[in-house]
Each structure stands twice: as C-alpha cells, then as structure tokens.
Amino acid sequence: MVNATFNDQVRTRLQGEAFALRAFFEWDLLQKFGGRGADGVMYGFPIITDVVDPYSEINYARNTYDQCVAQIIADCDSAIKYLPLAHRDFMYLSATNKSYLGGRYWNRFDDTGVWQ
C-alpha cells in the first residue's frame, strides 16, 4: 500500500526536478543558439511550455534573449519551490522516509543551489 504522504513528497520532488531540468536545457539552448540576428536584435530560442500537437504548425518564432533569460529564471524559481531542502539522511529520522528522500538521492537536484 502506498502512503499518501510519501506519494505527495515524491510527486513534488519530481515536479521540481522537471522544472530544474527544463531550466538547464533552456540554458543550454540559449548558449548554443542565442545571439544577435541579422537585424541586430538579440534572439534566443522559441519558448514552448505547453504540449505540442504533432499536427499543428511547428514553425515557431524565436523569442528575444531577455525573454529566454526570464523563462530560465522563472523555471529555476519554480524548481526551488518544489525541491527538497537537501538530500541528506540526517534530515529524516525514519528509515521509511529515507527510502523516499535522503542520501539515496544524493546526485539529484535539491534546494542547495538547485544544481548539485
């Protein structure tokens, strides 16, 4: 039987990790494809935060560099809101808690600077 508290903790942690990963990959896209266009405007990448319909138009316009940076910062802020404080065993007294949280997840994202 699944404990509802642990289920919510795992769901919240995974949601925070998804935001952190999206921010990381957006940062990578900005590093590789961001820059000054032929018209002198600083461009980034197309910001897409919704599910894309495979049958719809997929030729998206690039957002500005500043919009991309703002999206990355917003995703980092969302990640920090959902991630646990740290993955350390001493923070969880119960052995059951350690199977869902704690040092077992040492190399995953946490709130100690988002990246670890």
Side-chain angles (χ1 to χ4, degrees):
M1 180 165 178
V2 177
N3 187 329
T5 303
F6 295 135
N7 193 26
D8 290 340
Q9 288 174 345
V10 170
R11 182 183 299 117
T12 302
R13 178 178 53 86
L14 290 175
Q15 189 171 5
E17 288 177 3
F19 277 116
L21 283 170
R22 185 167 75 181
F24 174 76
F25 288 118
E26 287 170 344
W27 172 80
D28 190 46
L29 281 172
L30 194 59
Q31 293 292 313
K32 291 179 180 173
F33 301 109
R36 192 169 308 276
D39 57 357
V41 178
M42 290 290 287
Y43 287 107
F45 53 88
I47 297 175
I48 301 169
T49 57
D50 294 329
V51 178
V52 177
D53 181 19
Y55 302 109
S56 67
E57 178 65 34
I58 58 170
N59 191 14
Y60 296 107
R62 293 169 64 180
N63 291 82
T64 65
Y65 193 89
D66 291 337
Q67 290 170 334
C68 293
V69 170
Q71 179 64 39
I72 293 169
I73 291 170
D75 284 342
C76 287
D77 290 342
S78 296
I80 288 172
K81 184 171 66 170
Y82 291 109
L83 288 171
L85 179 61
H87 296 298
R88 311 294 186 269
D89 281 340
F90 69 87
M91 298 178 72
Y92 307 102
L93 302 176
S94 170
T96 308
N97 287 354
K98 291 178 185 174
S99 64
Y100 292 93
L101 302 165
R104 179 180 188 172
Y105 300 103
W106 177 261
N107 288 325
R108 296 179 84 123
F109 292 109
D110 61 19
D111 197 6
T112 56
V114 178
W115 319 115
Q116 197 180 75

